[in-house]
Amino acid sequence: MSLNEDQTSMASVAESLLTSISQITKSVACIEVVQETFAEIGCYFYRASSSVMELQTSENTPENAMDILQSLSSSINVAKDLINKCQKAYSSKSDSDKMPKSTIQQLERLINRMGQCLSLIPSSTFQNKKYAEVAVRSLSNEMQHAQFEVGQSQELQTKELEQKKSFSEEEQNDHEETVQTESDLYPINIEVSTDTSQVLNVPYLIEFLKNKSLGSQSILDYRSRSSSTLPQIVEYVETVYENFYCPLTKQIMDDPVIIESGVTYERNEIVKWFEEFENSEEIFCPITGQKLLRTVLRPNIAFKTMIEEWKERNDEAKIKVACAALSLASSASMVFEAIRDLQGICARKQYNKVQVCNAGILPLLVKFLEYKDRDVRCAVLELLQQLAEDDDDGKEMIAKMVDISTVIKMLSSGHQPIRQAALLLLHELSRSESLCKKIGSVPGGILMLIRIKYNRSVDAFSAEKADETLRNLEKAQENIKHMAENGLLEPLLNHLAAGCEEIQMEMASYLGEITLGNDSKTCVAERASPTLTQMVHMGNTLSRSAAFKALAQISAYSPNAKILAKSGIIQIMAEEMFTRRISDENMNSKNEAAAILANIFETGIEFQNLQVNTDGHKLTSDYVLYNIIRMLKNSTTDELNINLIRILLSLIKDPNSISIIVPMVKETEASYTLIEFINNPHEELGVAAVKLLIELSPHMGHTLVERLCTTKGQPENLLLGHTTPITERQAVSAKFLAKLPHQNVTLNLALLRKNTVPTILQTINQIQITGTRASRYASAYLEGLVAILVRFTTTLYEPAILSLARNYNFTLLFTELLLKTSSDEVQRLSAIGLENLSAESITLSKPPQIKKSKSWKQALPIFLSLGSSNKMKAPVCPVHRGACSSQNTFCLVDAKAVETLLACLDNENAVVVEAALSAICTLLDDKVDVEKSVSMLTEANAVRHILNVVKDHSEEGLWQKSFQFIEIFLMKGRDKSASDISQDKLLLATLISAFHHGNGNTRQMAENILRILNKVPSIPTSNYTL
């Protein structure tokens, strides 16, 4: 059998044995025959339980422990059967006179046998606990020689009890005498502990045994009917000699000294007595009255030694008493008093703490941390803190047995004393460097301490102790990281600034790993950036790597850009990118430096005057830009290429930089490199490359088209069709094609030949079905696709593209997009597409061809042939004066797009309104029938829409188009239109404002309208000289 199994088996036997003893003590208390003898027997059983517990809790368990326990268990079981039979016999009145005597004789033999069994416990079991050994040996000796007699007085008493049994319980209690508290169960002086005035007081013993409601956990209960039972019991441990008391204080002396009169006093008290006399010649002994010639104090070493020995013996006894009380835990008051007594014992002498720990009290205290009574929990925490003070071994032992998480939970208790006691215990444990890591690893522990630290206004004491505890926990570096993760960055920043190289590296590494809140990132940047920059510049490989990682996170927060620039980081990073060469360094410092610079530049910081080296080169100089583009062409890592492109995207916003970058990209192979990146499997690199190409397209669009179309797989690979979800790569690719010059027929034909239009139309349809909210990039992707379709409308002179627009009925397509899409950009692009298509309508519209009549019809009279001739004419568009359709001639009238475009004029976005108005104005071109167009637009209430545009918008371009529209309507429109225009007072005010403040074209157009409205004098038509 294994050691664990032996211990489990022995514990089971001991628990069963204690339970049986508990039952016996309660049973004998209920037997009213030979009451005194049975009470004495019950006390022997009760006292034997202490020896069982000593054997059970001993750290040095003897080999014969199981044999002893089993022997005791056998005796106890027999005793229990005998007492049960005695109870039954008495209750049934059968042989009740003979039964007690024979039973007592058998119980006597059992007690003698149990005494012999207890004597088999070896001395090694008790180790240094001499007091426990004396107590067990004394009990063993008593039990071996125990004898019980049933005298006549007891028999008479039995009969009287039988006669009085009908009395009520209250009447019996009236005749009971008040008894003294039971003496200690662990006596050193056998004569004192067996004083018959207390132990053999029968009424008291009966009441005492009845109160022992023992559980399986313990048999020792020292609780009496008063809450002060425990201290009273302790006083009887050993007699206190009268000479131990100071005559002045009547308290036991701690530092006894002898004065000239030969009387011994407490040093402090006699000194105070002497100080009361102003004249030293008047000093006398307070006890004898003898005048003292000298005030010399001589230590009474003999007394002090005797007192110390007496205290040690009594402290050890008190510890045992408290242990027994805690084991039973029958009431909160008993537990509380036991703990308070232990606190006093520990406060008296440091060694007493060791004794308390060795007595097996710690496991009991741990259980009471979750006790229902909060005063008990608080007292336990205070005692644990006391045991841990100035004792590293004690701290280790407590930390091993106590669940630190339980103490952490108590920090959030609603009872302030518990919170403070738990905090003080943690504070004491944190003084041990070996325990700091354990405390800090408890989930939520450091967070709770930080919360208390910052809650000074509520509890200043706790805030101070929490702060001290956190400082202690800094001894474990992992805790510094936990503190930073929970919002306390001060320790990390302090160690980073003032620590050795190894500490700085560790702190920088933590700073790069934790996730900082926005409210702390600026503080970290201010405190840490100088040190981190220096580590990058001067540190070893590991330090540099940690510093780079931390700087990358700090620089990612845009408000930190100026702070980092001020610390000189830009020059250091530029040196890393362009000049530093470390052959034996494993890390890629160029990539790290580029990432940090990209983070800083993307914030919009003013970088035009920033110097990057000691030679005076600025960030926007040819030297820097050339090096970046050269690195972009020659780089082999995707991450570095991404960061280089990010830097260029930031620099290209500066006019001076773009004037340098564009020629460099044109003249070198950088443009080919960027286009090749489009197909790179690395998603982020492909997106970054396309974004840079979009920025370059207004400056070198035709060059990019040429190089794009000569690259394998392009441009069709930029349109990969619809996927779920839509990616950023798809959105920027579509935007890139849309941003390239629209009138570049090479690109348009390339897209046409690669059959991209069906894919585009299918994707647009799918996005409209699923909605743009299905992906964050859906709107941008849809806008790019529509813009690609619009680009085809700019090169309709190309027959293949004209055929494309007709086959897919672009006029109807853009009209439907205006109706079905809520995106302003899609509506603007659709209106532009309709404008481009409508501009071609007058060219594509032809007069209807009249079919020639057959020969036999030629002979008919003219009046007959006229009728048949009219019936054969095709319908004619009133605006374009020819045969029109939305599909073949892109006629807006036939597509019913006019009403939709007019509705767009109510849009709040000025660019949408301007695009819609431009499309409508194609119907007022000089090449069309303006009067018919005006008539048609009047019926559609176009004037009211135009007047609203003038009222809601103030852009010059919109005013010009609106004024042109109004002027045509005043000249060609009906009276109703002219009346609506002239009666609009807001229009008149707008015209006057434009006449005074508008640019040349706007002012001229406003003047023309005012002249038509007779608000400005007309120029005379006759020639005259002023």
Side-chain angles (χ1 to χ4, degrees):
M1 185 180 292
S2 65
L3 179 61
N4 291 335
E5 291 175 345
D6 288 340
Q7 292 176 345
T8 303
S9 177
M10 189 174 70
S12 176
V13 173
E15 291 293 327
S16 175
L17 182 56
L18 293 173
T19 302
S20 298
I21 292 175
S22 174
Q23 295 171 354
I24 289 175
T25 55
K26 288 190 289 185
S27 297
V28 298
C30 299
I31 299 176
E32 296 181 357
V33 293
V34 199
Q35 195 175 52
E36 180 179 334
T37 302
F38 274 109
E40 189 176 356
I41 290 171
C43 283
Y44 275 118
F45 285 123
Y46 181 76
R47 293 172 65 191
S49 63
S50 62
S51 300
V52 174
M53 290 189 63
E54 189 66 44
L55 189 62
Q56 182 185 10
T57 59
S58 174
E59 293 183 0
N60 190 19
T61 304
E63 295 181 357
N64 62 343
M66 180 60 78
D67 296 334
I68 294 172
L69 289 174
Q70 289 176 345
S71 178
L72 289 173
S73 179
S74 177
S75 299
I76 289 295
N77 290 335
V78 174
K80 186 165 62 171
D81 292 339
L82 289 171
I83 292 173
N84 289 338
K85 289 179 181 179
C86 186
Q87 279 185 308
K88 293 178 181 179
Y90 174 68
S91 60
S92 64
K93 308 287 185 176
S94 61
D95 297 328
S96 59
D97 294 335
K98 298 179 180 179
M99 187 70 180
K101 188 172 183 179
S102 62
T103 302
I104 289 172
Q105 290 174 350
Q106 295 180 62
L107 290 172
E108 179 183 298
R109 288 194 293 273
L110 289 173
I111 290 174
N112 296 155
R113 189 189 307 166
M114 289 175 65
Q116 294 174 1
C117 188
L118 292 177
S119 67
L120 299 177
I121 301 176
S123 299
S124 60
T125 304
F126 307 99
Q127 294 180 327
N128 297 325
K129 303 175 185 177
K130 295 181 180 179
Y131 166 74
E133 183 177 3
V134 171
V136 173
R137 299 298 184 218
S138 298
L139 178 61
S140 172
N141 184 56
E142 284 186 57
M143 295 179 73
Q144 289 183 64
H145 299 89
Q147 293 181 354
F148 308 103
E149 295 182 359
V150 182
Q152 293 181 356
S153 61
Q154 293 186 21
E155 293 177 354
L156 289 173
Q157 182 185 17
T158 301
K159 294 179 181 179
E160 290 175 1
L161 287 171
E162 290 177 357
Q163 294 173 359
K164 295 179 180 180
K165 188 174 180 181
S166 59
F167 287 178
S168 66
E169 186 177 350
E170 292 181 0
E171 292 173 332
Q172 290 178 12
N173 291 337
D174 291 338
H175 295 285
E176 292 180 359
E177 298 179 0
T178 305
V179 297
Q180 299 295 323
T181 306
E182 182 190 6
S183 65
D184 183 42
L185 299 178
Y186 289 86
I188 293 177
N189 188 330
I190 303 301
E191 296 179 358
V192 174
S193 66
T194 58
D195 185 359
T196 58
S197 66
Q198 294 183 27
V199 176
L200 299 182
N201 187 316
V202 175
Y204 169 73
L205 285 177
I206 298 300
E207 182 66 21
F208 174 78
L209 293 172
K210 284 182 178 179
N211 287 337
K212 301 303 172 184
S213 54
L214 305 177
S216 62
Q217 294 180 354
S218 175
I219 195 70
L220 297 178
D221 183 0
Y222 295 90
R223 182 172 61 91
S224 181
R225 286 164 292 182
S226 169
S227 62
S228 60
T229 300
L230 188 61
Q232 290 180 12
I233 292 175
V234 174
E235 294 299 328
Y236 288 98
V237 170
E238 184 176 337
T239 303
V240 181
Y241 296 99
E242 185 177 353
N243 291 339
F244 287 0
Y245 293 99
C246 174
L248 296 177
T249 64
K250 306 304 180 185
Q251 300 292 326
I252 297 175
M253 291 181 286
D254 292 321
D255 188 7
V257 293
I258 305 173
I259 64 174
E260 186 180 12
S261 64
V263 181
T264 299
Y265 296 94
E266 177 68 37
R267 179 186 293 275
N268 293 336
E269 297 303 323
I270 194 62
V271 168
K272 291 179 183 178
W273 171 265
F274 290 164
E275 291 174 351
E276 292 180 2
F277 295 90
E278 296 181 359
N279 188 352
S280 61
E281 296 180 356
E282 298 177 354
I283 299 176
F284 60 90
C285 175
I287 299 300
T288 65
Q290 176 185 340
K291 191 172 182 180
L292 303 179
L293 300 178
R294 294 181 302 171
T295 58
V296 177
L297 305 178
R298 291 184 296 107
N300 193 334
I301 298 175
F303 262 36
K304 187 171 185 178
T305 302
M306 291 173 63
I307 292 172
E308 286 298 323
E309 291 177 352
W310 176 86
K311 286 182 178 180
E312 287 178 6
R313 291 194 300 273
N314 281 275
D315 284 345
E316 189 170 354
K318 290 178 182 179
I319 291 171
K320 286 291 183 181
V321 172
C323 181
L326 293 177
S327 298
L328 178 59
S330 60
S331 70
S333 60
M334 170 58 71
V335 174
F336 184 77
E337 289 182 29
I339 294 173
R340 286 300 185 203
D341 199 32
L342 287 172
Q343 289 177 354
I345 294 170
C346 292
R348 201 186 73 77
K349 192 175 181 181
Q350 179 69 22
Y351 179 69
N352 288 346
K353 298 179 184 180
V354 178
Q355 288 186 304
V356 169
C357 293
N358 291 338
I361 289 179
L362 277 180
L364 299 174
L365 294 177
V366 171
K367 293 180 181 179
F368 288 117
L369 284 175
E370 299 181 1
Y371 197 69
K372 58 185 177 181
D373 188 278
R374 66 185 186 182
D375 291 334
V376 170
R377 297 199 302 273
C378 186
V380 171
L381 290 168
E382 292 172 351
L383 178 56
L384 289 173
Q385 185 255 340
Q386 195 174 6
L387 292 172
E389 283 180 347
D390 304 323
D391 186 358
D392 289 340
D393 292 337
K395 290 182 177 66
E396 292 286 346
M397 190 180 300
I398 291 171
K400 185 177 181 180
M401 294 188 178
V402 175
D403 186 357
I404 302 296
S405 62
T406 301
V407 182
I408 296 293
K409 291 176 184 176
M410 292 183 177
L411 294 178
S412 58
S413 171
H415 189 49
Q416 187 182 46
I418 290 181
R419 291 200 307 271
Q420 292 183 346
L423 183 59
L424 288 173
L425 175 57
L426 285 175
H427 177 262
E428 191 60 43
L429 294 177
S430 68
R431 293 176 183 270
S432 173
E433 186 172 353
S434 61
L435 297 179
C436 288
K437 184 177 180 180
K438 182 176 182 178
I439 296 172
S441 63
V442 176
I446 287 179
L447 178 62
M448 290 298 300
L449 289 170
I450 294 173
R451 184 177 72 97
I452 296 172
K453 166 187 167 68
Y454 288 136
N455 213 9
R456 185 172 295 274
S457 60
V458 177
D459 189 345
F461 173 79
S462 296
E464 181 181 354
K465 290 301 176 183
D467 186 35
E468 292 176 6
T469 304
L470 288 167
R471 286 201 295 270
N472 291 338
L473 294 179
E474 290 179 27
K475 288 178 284 189
Q477 292 186 12
E478 296 89 340
N479 291 340
I480 297 176
K481 180 181 179 182
H482 296 326
M483 293 176 195
E485 289 173 336
N486 288 285
L488 183 61
L489 291 162
E490 195 70 21
L492 189 151
L493 297 176
N494 289 339
H495 283 76
L496 178 64
C500 63
E501 184 177 9
E502 183 179 353
I503 294 295
Q504 286 183 331
M505 180 189 69
E506 196 72 24
M507 296 302 107
S509 177
Y510 290 159
L511 196 56
E513 292 173 7
I514 63 176
T515 301
L516 297 172
N518 290 339
D519 56 340
S520 59
K521 286 180 180 178
T522 300
C523 173
V524 171
E526 292 173 346
R527 294 277 304 277
S529 56
T531 303
L532 293 173
T533 303
Q534 188 67 17
M535 289 173 65
V536 169
H537 189 53
M538 304 292 293
N540 58 34
T541 301
L542 294 177
S543 296
R544 279 164 47 81
S545 178
F548 270 125
K549 193 174 182 180
L551 286 170
Q553 180 175 188
I554 295 173
S555 63
Y557 185 54
S558 57
N560 291 341
K562 292 183 179 179
I563 299 172
L564 292 172
K566 188 177 180 180
S567 69
I569 195 173
I570 293 178
Q571 290 186 5
I572 301 298
M573 296 301 110
E575 179 184 349
E576 292 289 333
M577 288 180 61
F578 304 139
T579 61
R580 189 176 180 108
R581 298 289 185 273
I582 302 179
S583 58
D584 60 343
E585 192 169 89
N586 294 326
M587 64 171 296
N588 187 356
S589 61
K590 294 183 184 297
N591 179 40
E592 302 289 346
I596 295 169
L597 287 178
N599 288 340
I600 294 174
F601 296 151
E602 284 176 347
T603 64
I605 187 175
E606 295 182 2
F607 49 76
Q608 290 81 0
N609 296 321
L610 292 176
Q611 291 188 355
V612 297
N613 56 26
T614 55
D615 296 333
H617 290 122
K618 295 183 179 180
L619 190 62
T620 56
S621 64
D622 294 4
Y623 167 79
V624 173
L625 296 175
Y626 174 79
N627 275 284
I628 293 174
I629 293 174
R630 178 184 58 80
M631 290 175 65
L632 185 64
K633 291 193 310 177
N634 301 327
S635 173
T636 56
T637 64
D638 292 341
E639 288 75 14
L640 179 57
N641 287 329
I642 292 169
N643 292 320
L644 291 173
I645 292 174
R646 289 174 60 202
I647 293 173
L648 289 174
L649 281 169
S650 300
L651 298 180
I652 209 169
K653 297 174 183 177
D654 177 59
N656 295 329
S657 299
I658 191 67
S659 63
I660 299 173
I661 292 173
V662 170
M664 286 184 179
V665 174
K666 277 186 176 181
E667 295 169 4
T668 64
E669 296 180 356
S671 58
Y672 287 108
T673 302
L674 291 172
I675 291 173
E676 289 175 358
F677 285 159
I678 295 175
N679 294 329
N680 193 288
H682 196 295
E683 182 82 7
E684 190 177 355
L685 177 57
V687 170
V690 174
K691 285 182 177 179
L692 181 57
L693 290 171
I694 291 172
E695 296 297 326
L696 293 172
S697 60
H699 308 281
M700 49 181 296
H702 292 288
T703 302
L704 294 177
V705 168
E706 177 188 352
R707 295 176 182 179
L708 179 68
C709 292
T710 56
T711 301
K712 184 178 180 181
Q714 299 296 352
E716 64 272 16
N717 284 346
L718 288 168
L719 298 170
L720 302 177
H722 182 71
T723 60
T724 304
I726 295 170
T727 64
E728 184 181 12
R729 190 169 195 164
Q730 289 175 293
V732 297
S733 297
K735 184 178 180 180
F736 174 48
L737 289 175
K739 290 292 183 180
L740 290 172
H742 280 196
Q743 295 182 352
N744 190 298
V745 70
T746 302
L747 178 58
N748 291 351
L749 288 174
L751 291 170
L752 175 64
R753 295 190 186 102
K754 300 298 182 179
N755 200 28
T756 59
V757 174
T759 302
I760 293 172
L761 295 176
Q762 182 182 7
T763 304
I764 291 174
N765 183 54
Q766 290 175 340
I767 294 175
Q768 288 180 322
I769 293 172
T770 58
T772 55
R773 294 185 180 181
S775 171
R776 60 179 297 190
Y777 302 110
S779 294
Y781 191 33
L782 177 61
E783 292 165 3
L785 295 175
V786 174
I788 294 172
L789 294 179
V790 171
R791 70 178 298 115
F792 288 114
T793 65
T794 62
T795 54
L796 292 172
Y797 58 83
E798 181 65 37
I801 296 177
L802 177 63
S803 178
L804 172 74
R806 284 173 169 171
N807 290 339
Y808 290 101
N809 199 346
F810 274 19
T811 310
L812 188 60
L813 173 65
F814 288 129
T815 303
E816 290 179 351
L817 286 172
L818 281 174
L819 285 170
K820 297 179 180 180
T821 308
S822 59
S823 168
D824 287 349
E825 180 62 15
V826 172
Q827 288 187 339
R828 183 188 74 85
L829 292 170
S830 299
I832 292 173
L834 290 174
E835 178 189 2
N836 294 338
L837 292 170
S838 182
E840 298 294 325
S841 294
I842 191 64
T843 304
L844 298 175
S845 180
K846 303 295 181 181
Q849 294 181 358
I850 302 175
K851 294 182 180 180
K852 294 182 179 181
S853 303
K854 293 184 180 180
S855 59
W856 61 271
K857 290 186 178 181
Q858 292 178 359
L860 291 175
I862 296 176
F863 68 89
L864 293 176
S865 62
L866 288 175
S868 62
S869 177
N870 289 334
K871 289 180 182 181
M872 297 183 64
K873 289 182 180 179
V876 177
C877 175
V879 176
H880 299 111
R881 304 189 187 94
C884 281
S885 68
S886 61
Q887 183 168 6
N888 292 324
T889 64
F890 316 127
C891 179
L892 299 183
V893 179
D894 184 65
K896 295 184 172 45
V898 176
E899 292 81 358
T900 305
L901 289 168
L902 288 173
C904 290
L905 298 181
D906 296 330
N907 196 300
E908 295 180 356
N909 194 330
V911 295
V912 176
V913 175
E914 185 174 0
L917 195 55
S918 297
I920 294 172
C921 285
T922 59
L923 299 177
L924 299 175
D925 190 84
D926 294 339
K927 297 178 182 179
V928 303
D929 191 330
V930 176
E931 292 183 358
K932 294 291 179 64
S933 292
V934 169
S935 176
M936 178 196 64
L937 292 172
T938 301
E939 293 177 359
N941 201 19
V943 172
R944 180 51 50 196
H945 287 287
I946 298 299
L947 292 176
N948 288 337
V949 170
V950 175
K951 178 179 67 175
D952 297 335
H953 300 278
S954 58
E955 289 81 2
E956 289 280 348
L958 276 178
W959 276 5
Q960 289 182 12
K961 285 184 170 57
S962 300
F963 291 167
Q964 177 187 359
F965 192 96
I966 291 171
E967 183 178 0
I968 292 173
F969 264 70
L970 287 172
M971 295 174 63
K972 303 288 185 178
R974 301 173 183 173
D975 294 338
K976 184 179 184 306
S977 299
S979 175
D980 291 341
I981 294 171
S982 60
Q983 291 178 8
D984 194 307
K985 295 180 179 180
L986 184 58
L987 173 63
L988 183 60
T990 304
L991 290 170
I992 292 172
S993 176
F995 179 70
H996 289 304
H997 307 294
N999 61 27
N1001 292 334
T1002 306
R1003 184 185 300 113
Q1004 184 61 52
M1005 296 175 75
E1007 182 181 354
N1008 292 341
I1009 296 173
L1010 288 170
R1011 184 174 289 109
I1012 295 173
L1013 296 174
N1014 294 323
K1015 302 298 181 181
V1016 174
S1018 300
I1019 299 176
T1021 57
S1022 58
N1023 296 325
Y1024 64 90
T1025 304
L1026 293 177

